[in-house]
Amino acid sequence: MGVIMINDLIKSTNLISVPSEYAFPAKPEDLNMLSEKEVEHVTLPVIDFSFLSSPGERSKIIEDLRDACQYWGFFMVVNHGVPESLKKDLIDSCMSFFDLSPEEKSAYRGKYKLDPRIVLDHGTNLNSGVDSVSFLRDQFKACVHPIFGSPPKPEGIKVKKKKKKKKKTNKKIDLHEILCEYTKRSREIMKELLKEIMEGLKLDEDDIEKSLELNSGAQIFSANLYPPCPQPELAIGLPPHADHGLLTLLIQNDVDGLHIKNKEKWVAVNLIPNSIMVNTGDHMETLSKGKYKSVLHRAVVNNKETRVSLVMTVGSSKETDAT
């Protein structure tokens, strides 16, 4: 029997209400979903990654990173070197994975381990008090470093690529291939950001690299799909939580849904085209002795559009969990 996930359920039925097993028992002081007009939209601090290689701008960027980590725990990175086409191909490939038949997805159901195994789920173990509740989210998660793991399917999706003579041709892009490329690029971004963050904390880079064992540290990729929900006020994509690890990188399609808690209130994040969102995790809070907080955030659902978020988390070799 195949794995029936949220996306499968919505595609196979004329769903007009949220099934009871997916209705989240919201607490007004913490989990209550606010309507779009009641949530303030904010623009996060912006870090221009290209300035890190500029001697004249580097000290200012380190200061901006220090302020962003201390007062927000979230920031946006622009001019990071990851092509918009790579981001789009990865999102399309992951959506194609979720569109596989339940029978094909069944092969990836299992307990997560630090090997090329894949975990596939629509629930969570974020909080033992809510383990019996399934959230309105489909997810697959894999360790991509130090051992690279990726679903072998879908084997390829057709995308249009421009050749030198401006002619377009169809080319198949494997999820395995595109995720491998994004893993390498995102790891370089993480390592460079960590270097500057460590400098802002007045910590010695060589000692940090050695103690955290970043070269062998775990890098976890998670693809999350939040399909349209007929009753968004009764369900939640992902409840308030903080990330493990040092840093988390997030890219997504152009659909709102991320809320973060800042100054004791929930705010929605304005999207910046072709940016990467970064937030500090539990390990960074410990490393900074509490100066940089691991900030609560959540994912809300809507009744119109599918939201896709792709998350890459890095930690030391001892920090292996990710949400």
Side-chain angles (χ1 to χ4, degrees):
M1 187 176 187
V3 177
I4 303 298
M5 301 183 73
I6 299 295
N7 197 39
D8 302 324
L9 177 66
I10 289 178
K11 289 194 301 182
S12 63
T13 62
N14 184 21
L15 199 64
I16 61 174
S17 62
V18 177
S20 59
E21 64 266 31
Y22 297 106
F24 197 88
K27 297 178 182 179
E29 71 276 13
D30 196 18
L31 300 177
N32 188 35
M33 296 296 95
L34 303 176
S35 65
E36 190 72 16
K37 64 181 180 180
E38 293 177 299
V39 179
E40 178 186 357
H41 279 69
V42 300
T43 299
L44 295 174
V46 177
I47 302 298
D48 191 324
F49 192 79
S50 66
F51 285 171
L52 292 177
S53 58
S54 172
E57 299 286 349
R58 190 169 176 276
S59 60
K60 176 63 167 57
I61 295 299
I62 291 176
E63 181 180 340
D64 291 344
L65 273 171
R66 183 169 58 241
D67 289 345
C69 292
Q70 186 170 358
Y71 298 114
W72 283 92
F74 275 79
F75 54 90
M76 308 293 287
V77 176
V78 297
N79 296 326
H80 42 67
V82 178
E84 180 72 10
S85 58
L86 178 62
K87 167 189 168 182
K88 184 180 184 303
D89 287 348
L90 183 57
I91 289 174
D92 289 346
S93 296
C94 290
M95 290 189 74
S96 295
F97 176 87
F98 289 118
D99 284 336
L100 292 173
S101 69
E103 290 73 25
E104 289 176 298
K105 288 196 289 273
S106 292
Y108 307 111
R109 189 96 183 199
K111 187 176 180 181
Y112 179 74
K113 290 184 178 181
L114 274 181
D115 57 29
R117 205 177 222 172
I118 311 300
V119 64
L120 178 67
D121 204 0
H122 61 259
T124 186
N125 59 359
L126 290 173
N127 187 313
S128 59
V130 295
D131 274 348
S132 61
V133 179
S134 293
F135 308 132
L136 209 78
R137 174 198 68 167
D138 286 344
Q139 180 193 64
F140 76 78
K141 180 166 64 175
C143 177
V144 291
H145 185 88
I147 301 174
F148 180 76
S150 170
K153 293 184 178 182
E155 295 177 345
I157 59 171
K158 290 184 178 180
V159 296
K160 291 183 178 180
K161 296 289 182 181
K162 287 185 179 181
K163 287 189 173 182
K164 292 183 179 180
K165 294 183 178 180
K166 297 184 178 180
K167 291 182 179 180
K168 291 184 177 180
T169 181
N170 286 332
K171 178 183 177 182
K172 285 191 174 182
I173 298 293
D174 290 333
L175 172 57
H176 185 281
E177 174 187 341
I178 203 72
L179 178 54
C180 183
E181 177 64 20
Y182 179 68
T183 295
K184 294 175 182 177
R185 289 176 176 265
S186 62
R187 188 164 185 81
E188 290 306 310
I189 293 172
M190 286 180 173
K191 291 179 72 173
E192 188 62 33
L193 288 174
L194 284 170
K195 176 181 176 181
E196 316 308 331
I197 290 173
M198 295 304 108
E199 187 169 334
L201 285 170
K202 309 297 183 184
L203 298 175
D204 184 86
E205 179 190 346
D206 292 335
D207 289 342
I208 294 299
E209 180 80 20
K210 183 178 179 181
S211 63
L212 296 180
E213 299 177 3
L214 291 180
N215 288 330
S216 60
Q219 189 170 334
I220 312 297
F221 174 78
S222 301
N224 305 286
L225 183 141
Y226 304 95
C229 174
Q231 295 174 297
E233 72 279 4
L234 297 182
I236 189 169
L238 201 59
H241 67 286
D243 291 345
H244 299 300
L246 287 161
L247 294 178
T248 296
L249 269 58
L250 181 145
I251 60 175
Q252 59 186 30
N253 61 352
D254 299 323
V255 179
D256 289 331
L258 177 67
H259 291 177
I260 67 174
K261 202 162 192 179
N262 181 259
K263 298 179 181 178
E264 301 304 316
K265 68 176 182 179
W266 289 107
V267 295
V269 176
N270 288 327
L271 302 179
I272 299 177
N274 199 27
S275 62
I276 296 178
M277 191 179 304
V278 182
N279 66 277
T280 51
D282 295 342
H283 197 173
M284 180 61 75
E285 181 172 340
T286 300
L287 182 66
S288 66
K289 298 182 180 179
K291 186 175 182 180
Y292 298 163
K293 303 299 183 184
S294 184
V295 178
L296 287 176
H297 50 288
R298 69 187 183 187
V300 299
V301 293
N302 69 83
N303 58 6
K304 297 178 181 179
E305 299 178 281
T306 294
R307 176 172 179 261
V308 178
S309 69
L310 308 180
V311 177
M312 192 75 79
T313 302
V314 66
S316 74
S317 57
K318 296 179 181 179
E319 195 70 33
T320 59
D321 197 9
T323 58

